[in-house]
């Protein structure tokens, strides 16, 4: 008997959500795709014209018009897999009308590279605590993969993490295309925290560029950042992991150096003298590192890991310390 196609709901309307839609629909495995976004005008435009008017507008949307809607609860009922792809700061609001009953039996995937503010929880912990999602039903998408390069079909690599190896393999099989390669992992904590931390380090990288540090210093900064990341994820979830894998080091490198990195762009603006508010307004995109560094500062009170780069970014963004002074002080601590 032929298996029924899996039904996958993508939640979110931004560039990474659009890139995930492209990957899922370009993949040959039989499946039915649903797409939720809050913006009703964007939904109408996509239904009519087959392109997201606000993000990656060159991407052809091959999702049936009737499968794109603003009714999240209704779409969740139809789905087997729910891929969450809204900024962490807006997740609570997006799920405001959703209950644990709605998520019962569903496989939930996080493509969110952030921490839920106020809760100071990574996405898996947040879903487990408030929506009773078992960790065995939770997956993480991570890796060095900018949405803009997916749109251009540049070769990219993703890691799918789950405590259930078979489940990770099944979902990875729904993403593989000629331009997307996937690997699997059991490290849901390390991949989530790594994705959070690399955004903070990309903000630091941008700040340094904005105040005039060159490539030589950037190399030292990122060398120290990967060491800092390892110390933290090992303290939070001490398992055998190779921090040099693409889900950790690779994602850090592309986010710290790429022209497409919104966190680096945000940091660069801060280094050049923009206020946080003016930088956010001008970008018109969410830099997850801004929210994440405050959350990490609170979380690390429990673990007390030495994290001079994160603390420098925290003081610049939340204590309004001078970027020049903080980075000069940081430079004395790096090796």
């Amino acid at each position: 008997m032929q298996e029924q196609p899996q039904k996958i709901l993508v939640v979110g309307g931004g560039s990474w959500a659009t890139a995930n839609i492209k990957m899922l629909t370009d993949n040959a495995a039989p499946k039915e795709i649903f797409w939720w976004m809050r913006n009703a005008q964007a939904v109408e435009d996509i239904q009519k014209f087959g392109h997201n008017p606000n993000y990656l507008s060159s991407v052809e949307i091959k999702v049936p018009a009737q499968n794109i809607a603003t009714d999240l609860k209704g779409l969740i009922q139809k789905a087997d897999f729910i891929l969450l792809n809204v900024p962490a700061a807006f997740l609570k609001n997006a799920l405001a009308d959703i209950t644990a009953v709605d998520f019962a039996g569903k496989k939930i995937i996080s493509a969110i590279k952030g921490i839920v503010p106020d809760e100071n929880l990574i996405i898996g912990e947040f879903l487990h605590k408030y929506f009773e999602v078992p960790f065995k039903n939770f997956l993480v998408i991570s890796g060095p993969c900018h949405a803009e390069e997916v749109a251009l079909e540049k070769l990219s690599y993703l890691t799918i993490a789950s405590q259930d190896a078979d489940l990770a393999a099944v979902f990875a099989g729904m993403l593989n295309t000629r331009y997307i390669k996937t690997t699997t992992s059991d490290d849901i904590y390390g991949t989530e925290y790594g994705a959070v931390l690399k955004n903070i380090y990309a903000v630091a990288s941008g700040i340094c560029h904005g105040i005039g540090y060159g490539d030589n210093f950037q190399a030292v900064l990122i060398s120290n950042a990967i060491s800092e990341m390892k110390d933290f994820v090992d303290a939070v979830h001490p398992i055998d992991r190779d921090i040099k894998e693409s889900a950790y080091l690779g994602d850090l490198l592309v986010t710290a150096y790429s022209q497409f990195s919104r966190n680096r762009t945000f940091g660069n603006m801060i280094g050049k003298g923009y206020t946080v508010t003016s930088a956010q307004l001008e970008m018109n995109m969410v830099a997850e590192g801004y929210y994440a560094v405050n959350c990490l500062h609170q979380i690390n009170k429990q673990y007390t890991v030495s994290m001079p780069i994160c603390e420098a970014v925290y003081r610049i963004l939340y204590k309004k310390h001078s970027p020049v002074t903080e980075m000069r002080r940081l430079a004395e601590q790096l090796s």
Side-chain angles (χ1 to χ4, degrees), residues 72-299:
L72 181 57
K73 189 180 283 278
L75 290 174
I76 286 175
Q77 290 175 356
K78 299 176 181 180
D80 305 305
F81 287 82
I82 300 163
L83 198 167
L84 298 176
N85 211 324
V86 296
F90 306 144
L91 182 61
K92 288 169 73 173
N93 186 257
L95 300 180
D97 296 327
I98 305 306
T99 68
V101 173
D102 295 313
F103 277 164
K106 310 290 186 181
K107 307 297 189 289
I108 315 294
I109 308 117
S110 173
I112 302 169
K113 299 186 175 185
I115 300 178
V116 181
D118 302 325
E119 304 294 339
N120 295 331
L121 296 171
I122 51 177
I123 307 306
E125 292 175 330
F126 174 74
L127 295 173
H128 182 71
K129 180 177 180 179
Y130 291 103
F131 296 91
E132 301 172 18
V133 174
F135 285 112
K136 66 181 178 65
N137 286 352
F138 177 70
L139 305 92
V140 180
I141 297 180
S142 64
C145 190
H146 281 306
E148 293 82 358
E149 291 203 351
V150 172
L152 295 169
E153 299 187 358
K154 301 276 190 181
L155 183 61
S156 304
Y157 290 71
L158 291 172
T159 297
I160 312 302
S162 172
Q163 292 180 347
D164 183 333
D166 292 336
L167 180 60
V170 166
F171 191 70
M174 299 184 201
L175 293 173
N176 285 320
T177 67
R178 61 179 177 76
Y179 59 90
I180 298 292
K181 307 298 182 188
T182 58
T183 57
T184 60
S185 166
D186 63 355
D187 186 16
I188 58 172
Y189 285 91
T191 52
E192 272 222 80
Y193 270 116
V196 169
L197 285 162
K198 59 94 182 183
N199 283 332
I200 299 171
Y201 299 136
V203 173
S205 177
I207 291 172
C208 291
H209 184 267
I211 61 179
Y213 285 90
D215 292 346
N216 294 343
F217 181 75
Q218 290 282 354
V220 173
L221 177 73
I222 300 309
S223 296
N224 281 263
I226 194 63
S227 178
E228 189 172 297
M229 179 188 292
K230 182 180 189 305
D231 290 344
F232 183 80
V233 296
D234 284 352
V236 171
H237 190 56
I239 64 169
D240 183 22
R241 64 171 62 84
D242 184 356
I243 205 73
K244 299 186 297 298
E245 289 179 352
S246 62
Y248 314 99
L249 178 58
D251 205 3
L252 169 62
L253 291 173
V254 76
T255 312
Y257 291 138
S258 174
Q259 62 177 321
F260 296 124
S261 170
R262 64 186 69 176
N263 288 281
R264 179 186 166 92
T265 299
F266 174 75
N268 187 51
M269 295 169 77
I270 297 298
K272 289 183 180 299
Y274 283 73
T275 64
V276 167
T277 301
S278 60
Q280 289 173 325
L281 287 171
E282 184 156 323
M283 284 179 63
N284 194 32
M285 298 175 87
V286 174
E288 289 276 21
Y290 169 69
Y291 300 99
V293 74
N294 183 43
C295 297
L296 241 296
H297 176 76
Q298 306 304 325
I299 292 169

Side-chain angles (χ1 to χ4, degrees), residues 30-57:
K31 66 182 82 67
E32 186 173 7
I33 309 299
F34 299 87
W35 194 2
W36 174 89
M37 63 183 71
R38 186 182 304 280
N39 187 330
Q41 185 59 55
V43 168
E44 186 177 327
D45 285 350
I46 295 169
Q47 289 171 332
K48 281 184 178 178
F49 306 114
H51 294 271
N52 187 339
N54 301 315
Y55 300 94
L56 303 187
S57 56

